[in-house]
DNA sequence: GTCCATATACTTGCGACTTCGAAGCTTCGA
DNA sequence: TCGAAGCTTCGAAGTCGCAAGTATATGGAC
């Protein structure tokens, strides 16, 4: 369920020039759509814990429940609820409620969300090599 | 161990399994550091417009000034100011003030920040293939 | 020679929106 | 009656946006 192998690379190691060139190859109209989609996406991901939630899914590799997320992430339940609604509303998560007692609800990332997961892998990878503690002593690897 | 420890590509197209395996290959101690760095990073990037700011640098490819960012991004000056401080504080941006009149200040992404840029390229790329408009009618691309 | 507008990079005040934390709600089995 | 799961509600606190102000020196108007 997690690996659509036929998917084009969607690789995130595009260089800036390539990305810019690609973007510029579109009609102004399409380009504007992309711009505003990026802005929307940045806005959505910018909300509290949105990325943490998606990140949890990226690493879990299976559906997660409200309480799973609640214990994985340090987040207030109302905020989690709001974020989950934002994310399902944006078509990144699917919500499935099972009519059992006690009630069970599973959230599953959509394909759109899975296309985003390499980002979280990259962030994780970044954290392995870097640090955020201001004094940045961890960046001793010779870049390019 | 699939990755030689010296300098793995930092590529963002790592699969989840690879990322998890890599992470799990560390001591518990190092692993915890990574976890908390990721959490911090997610927290920082989650603040309003933090990603938009970094994204601007990622696509600009040159130092940017306060007013550049102010016009590129739809952001209030106090928020931009706060974000710039957060980012420089985290060692992602360097601030250089030129003692001229009118004053000029340039912000330059550090190497740490540049290591993050593929993420923004990926996000942009994602936006080319996907949409965020709730009804998710755009995900008919090569889907299953 | 003096006064004002301009430019840049911010800061301040205040109101609005967002998030937090704890508690409550619902249904049913033990 | 309690607990379990998934929320919702409430008041308090934090964050953000908007408009305006600050500091300095150059250039023009008078």
């Amino acid at each position: 369920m997690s690996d659509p192998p036929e998917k084009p690379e969607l690789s995130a190691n595009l260089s800036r020039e390539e990305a810019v060139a690609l973007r510029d190859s579109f009609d102004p109209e399409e380009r504007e759509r992309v711009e505003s989609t990026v802005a929307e996406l940045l806005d959505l991901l910018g909300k509290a814990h949105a990325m943490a939630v998606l990140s949890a899914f990226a690493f879990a590799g299976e559906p997660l429940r409200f309480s799973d997320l609640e214990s994985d992430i340090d987040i207030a339940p109302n905020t989690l609820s709001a974020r989950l609604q934002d994310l399902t509303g944006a078509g990144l998560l699917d919500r499935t409620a099972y009519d059992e007692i006690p009630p069970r609800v599973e959230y599953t990332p959509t394909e759109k969300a899975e296309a985003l997961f390499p980002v979280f892998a990259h962030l994780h990878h970044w954290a392995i090599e870097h640090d955020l503690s201001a004094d940045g002593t961890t960046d001793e690897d010779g870049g390019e």
Side-chain angles (χ1 to χ4, degrees), chain A residues 25-96:
Chain A
S25 71
F26 293 125
D27 330 30
E29 194 186 334
E30 169 69 357
R31 181 177 157 175
E32 200 183 328
R33 186 197 68 79
V34 171
E35 294 290 344
S36 74
T37 300
V38 170
E40 272 179 77
L41 179 62
L42 255 27
D43 219 59
L44 176 62
L45 296 183
K47 292 187 167 189
H49 306 295
M51 291 207 295
V53 169
L54 286 176
S55 189
F57 282 102
F59 283 96
E62 59 179 4
L64 292 176
R65 304 165 58 172
F66 191 94
S67 48
D68 293 333
L69 292 162
E70 208 173 359
S71 50
D72 280 5
I73 311 166
D74 189 34
I75 184 176
N78 49 358
T79 308
L80 177 55
S81 181
R83 218 50 61 225
L84 252 13
Q85 282 181 32
D86 293 343
L87 259 16
T88 56
L92 292 174
L93 255 30
D94 277 337
R95 195 193 117 116
T96 313

Side-chain angles (χ1 to χ4, degrees), chain A residues 1-6 114:
Chain A
M1 50 164 69
S2 48
D3 279 341
E6 75 285 351
E114 282 176 7

Side-chain angles (χ1 to χ4, degrees), chain A residues 105-124:
Chain A
V105 180
E106 283 187 349
Y107 293 90
T108 317
T110 63
E111 191 201 330
K112 279 204 282 187
E114 282 176 7
L116 237 24
F117 286 176
V119 166
F120 300 105
H122 187 136
L123 257 24
H124 212 90

